[in-house]
């Protein structure tokens, strides 16, 4: 027991700060409402559009794309339909009735985001993202970052290739993400929780918790529970119980 | 009560309540960090397929799906053949892109063929079943769904949609263990999804108090020895 107490103390001294950080970041993440953090209600369900009967035939699509097509999608984009062709050199968008190429430029990205946004606030800024940052990590680049003028600074991230809304961010997420960074100990990219540092510290902290649990056994004496045990024993008929105790 | 005694008493009483959960938190955390998330996701269970160029000649025109109430149409290759995956108002449908024949809902053989096509392991299929209610390990996915379990120590399982022919999910025991320890980590023992449940909120703030009183206690835990050494010197 003395050894375990010493180990508990020293593990606490060396790793204790991370344990404090884990409990605080964990408590904060449990406190921040996940529905708000994930901006669940920031994007509205799009109106169901039906594929137009005068959709361009495949031969014309192949011509417009002008190269091998690996997969093809006919999907709504804004008010109309487009063909989204996956090609070896990337995604190409073609208007589904005229056959003209469609580019997702700043104006179109802003309009698509405004149509998708469930709030009434205006677009505050539209910016192209070519290099991954904390907000756009793990998403395919390039993309358009469209920020709205609401209190939460809701931001929609749209693929510059397909025009799809790939991700939503807001101030709740930005705050949550700081605690997430602290929790997973990935202070630069905030994405991996499988690195040697966290595995090592987690093993040490697991021991800290386990040794603490073991120490509990010897940390409590009967007198710690006298406030509940004494009345119980008195109820059971006093003297006998007192004999057993000694 | 003197301060060291107060620190010790609060720390041990808080610990009495939270210690078992703290052990769960740290052990589940250790598992989740030690086993790489790509392995948990089962990326190694499926082959990466190099997509081949589609030949457009002789295919049914996408415009024909206007009458079936299509919201979007996808032309892709499944088992080497061109197919249309149609998201229509009544639901998803799968068509042969050459003949226009409706393929969905897929029968057992078609589901097995697709599972075997995706599976990267060497073992054969142990069991194929059509589930009318989705199991907890793929909750949120549409039912009915084909469940194809393969031979292997970790019980690798692929889920194939009878409506789209697509691979919906891949599961194995390392994922199932992850999901189980995640349940202990977030203390949602029913749905395993609610990270804001009241039990977790109370327990985490108690853990904050426990770790802070532990840190406070450290101030007194190392002093006596230093004094002893000074006395000896």
């Amino acid at each position: 027991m003395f050894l375990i107490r010493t180990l508990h103390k020293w593990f606490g001294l060396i790793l204790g700060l991370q344990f404090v950080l884990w409990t605080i970041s964990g408590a904060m993440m449990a406190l921040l409402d996940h529905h708000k953090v994930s901006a669940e209600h920031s994007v509205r369900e799009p109106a169901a559009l039906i594929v137009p009967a005068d959709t361009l035939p495949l031969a014309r699509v192949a011509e417009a794309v002008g190269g091998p097509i690996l997969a093809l999608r006919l999907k709504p984009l804004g008010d109309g339909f487009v063909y989204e062709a996956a090609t070896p050199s990337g995604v190409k968008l073609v208007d589904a009735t005229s056959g003209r190429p469609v580019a997702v430029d700043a104006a179109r990205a802003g309009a698509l985001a405004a149509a998708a946004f469930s709030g009434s606030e205006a677009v505050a800024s539209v910016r192209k993202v070519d290099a991954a940052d904390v907000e756009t990590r793990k998403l395919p680049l390039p993309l358009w970052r469209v920020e709205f003028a609401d209190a939460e600074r809701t931001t929609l991230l749209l693929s510059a290739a397909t025009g799809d809304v790939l991700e939503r961010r807001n101030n709740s997420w930005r705050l949550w993400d700081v605690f997430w960074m602290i929790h997973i100990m990935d202070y630069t990219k905030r994405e991996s929780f499988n690195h040697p540092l966290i595995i090592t510290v987690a093993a040490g902290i697991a021991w800290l918790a386990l040794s603490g649990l073991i120490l509990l056994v010897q940390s409590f004496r009967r007198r710690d529970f006298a406030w509940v045990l004494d009345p119980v024993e008195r109820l059971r008929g006093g003297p006998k119980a007192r004999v057993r105790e000694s | 009560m003197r301060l060291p005694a107060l620190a010790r008493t609060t720390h041990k009483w808080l610990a009495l309540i939270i210690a078992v959960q703290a052990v769960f938190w740290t052990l589940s955390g250790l598992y989740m960090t030690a086993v790489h998330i790509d392995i948990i996701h089962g990326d190694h269970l499926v082959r990466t397929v190099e997509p081949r160029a589609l030949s457009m000649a002789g295919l049914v025109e996408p415009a024909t799906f206007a009458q079936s109430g299509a919201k979007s149409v996808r032309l892709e290759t499944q088992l080497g053949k061109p197919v249309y995956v149609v998201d229509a108002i009544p639901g998803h449908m799968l068509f042969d892109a050459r003949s226009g024949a409706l393929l969905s809902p897929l029968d057992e053989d078609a589901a097995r063929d697709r599972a075997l096509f995706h599976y990267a392991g060497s073992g054969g299929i142990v069991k194929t079943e059509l589930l009318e209610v989705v199991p907890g390990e793929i909750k949120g996915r549409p039912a009915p769904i084909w469940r194809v379990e393969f031979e292997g120590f970790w019980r690798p399982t692929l889920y194939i949609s009878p409506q789209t022919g697509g691979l919906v999910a891949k599961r194995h025991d390392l994922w199932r263990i992850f999901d189980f320890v995640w349940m202990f980590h977030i203390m949602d023992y029913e749905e395993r999804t609610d990270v804001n449940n009241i039990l977790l909120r109370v327990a985490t703030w108690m853990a904050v108090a426990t770790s802070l009183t532990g840190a406070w206690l450290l101030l007194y835990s190392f002093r006596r020895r230093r004094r002893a050494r000074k006395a000896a010197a």
Side-chain angles (χ1 to χ4, degrees), chain A residues 161-201:
Chain A
T162 68
D164 294 338
V165 177
L166 300 180
E167 192 57 271
R168 325 148 185 204
R169 306 296 189 209
N170 57 25
N171 282 346
S172 301
W173 178 85
R174 290 176 188 109
L175 178 64
W176 174 91
D177 197 47
V178 172
F179 295 113
W180 172 248
M181 172 190 80
I182 294 168
H183 212 70
I184 67 168
M185 303 176 79
D186 180 355
Y187 307 104
T188 49
K189 290 188 172 164
R190 307 187 184 180
E191 64 181 37
S192 171
F193 48 82
N194 297 121
H195 49 87
L197 172 68
I198 194 170
I199 299 172
T200 312
V201 177

Side-chain angles (χ1 to χ4, degrees), chain A residues 5 9-10 23 30-32 34 49-51 57-58 69 72-74 81 83 193-194 199 206 219-220 224, chain B residues 8 12 26 32-33 35 37 53-54 61-62 66 70-75 84 89 195-196 201 208 211 221:
Chain A
R5 187 167 293 272
K9 216 170 80 169
W10 279 97
T23 55
L31 201 61
L32 294 168
H34 194 67
L49 295 175
I50 304 299
V51 170
L58 291 173
I69 296 174
L72 187 66
R73 225 184 131 206
L74 174 62
F81 272 77
Y83 276 107
F193 48 82
N194 297 121
I199 299 172
S219 298
F220 283 94
D224 287 314
Chain B
R8 200 181 130 74
K12 88 176 188 185
T26 54
M32 293 190 286
T33 54
V35 184
I37 192 68
L54 288 159
E61 290 299 335
K71 293 185 283 178
S72 74
V73 177
R74 197 168 73 236
L75 174 62
Y84 279 113
I89 288 180
V195 293
N196 300 122
R201 282 176 170 173
V208 171
S211 66
S221 300

Side-chain angles (χ1 to χ4, degrees), chain A residues 4-27:
Chain A
I4 290 177
R5 187 167 293 272
T6 309
L7 284 172
H8 186 73
K9 216 170 80 169
W10 279 97
F11 271 73
L13 183 69
I14 297 161
L15 301 173
L17 178 63
Q18 183 56 35
F19 191 52
V20 172
L21 290 174
W22 266 336
T23 55
I24 291 175
S25 55

